[in-house]
Amino acid sequence: QLQLVESGGGLVQPGGSLRLSCAASRFTLDYYTTAWFRQVPGKEREGISCISSSDGSTYYADSVKGRFTISRDNAKGTVYLQMDSLKPEDTAVYYCAAIANRFRTCVLRRGPYDYWGQGTQVTVSS
């Protein structure tokens, strides 16, 4: 089973930036469709961004479009989420997730994702 680990979370002021990383313990994420989700207490886990294994196409939820950028470093087998212009409402636990079928295209819903990290806390506050 693929084990995912997120890193890069922390405390940042509104308008600031963070970069989250997602890596696999035994394998690279080069050929996995990989997404970022976030969740706050009392709310559903929200899909916010995805990068496709097939053609590298990227997708974003409206809530983060224009502010967040997902990317992949194939040499390292790592997926990143660059978060700019952060707002207090971005505060959440952020999770990366991957689909076992390497040819599966992007979706921003939880169902198709087979592997999940444990999450990293992002807090945006002044």
Side-chain angles (χ1 to χ4, degrees):
Q1 184 172 345
L2 192 67
Q3 302 290 329
L4 304 181
V5 179
E6 305 96 339
S7 62
L11 175 65
V12 65
Q13 294 183 345
S17 298
L18 285 173
R19 189 176 76 162
L20 306 183
S21 299
C22 177
S25 59
R26 292 181 177 269
F27 305 93
T28 70
L29 295 173
D30 299 11
Y31 300 105
Y32 293 89
T33 289
T34 305
W36 289 94
F37 291 74
R38 67 186 182 186
Q39 189 168 27
V40 299
K43 295 185 180 294
E44 295 290 327
R45 191 168 297 184
E46 174 192 18
I48 57 172
S49 189
C50 181
I51 185 164
S52 175
S53 65
S54 59
D55 60 3
S57 297
T58 59
Y59 302 86
Y60 301 92
D62 288 341
S63 58
V64 306
K65 193 172 299 181
R67 299 186 298 118
F68 291 10
T69 304
I70 191 170
S71 63
R72 173 183 282 121
D73 184 335
N74 288 330
K76 297 180 179 179
T78 302
V79 172
Y80 302 96
L81 184 68
Q82 177 68 41
M83 305 186 295
D84 298 318
S85 301
L86 283 162
K87 305 174 181 179
E89 52 262 46
D90 294 318
T91 296
V93 177
Y94 284 71
Y95 301 87
C96 67
I99 301 176
N101 186 339
R102 57 190 275 172
F103 303 109
R104 185 70 157 84
T105 192
C106 272
V107 296
L108 291 180
R109 58 185 178 89
R110 296 173 61 181
Y113 289 88
D114 302 287
Y115 308 115
W116 294 83
Q118 294 183 345
T120 185
Q121 177 70 46
V122 172
T123 302
V124 184
S125 177
S126 60

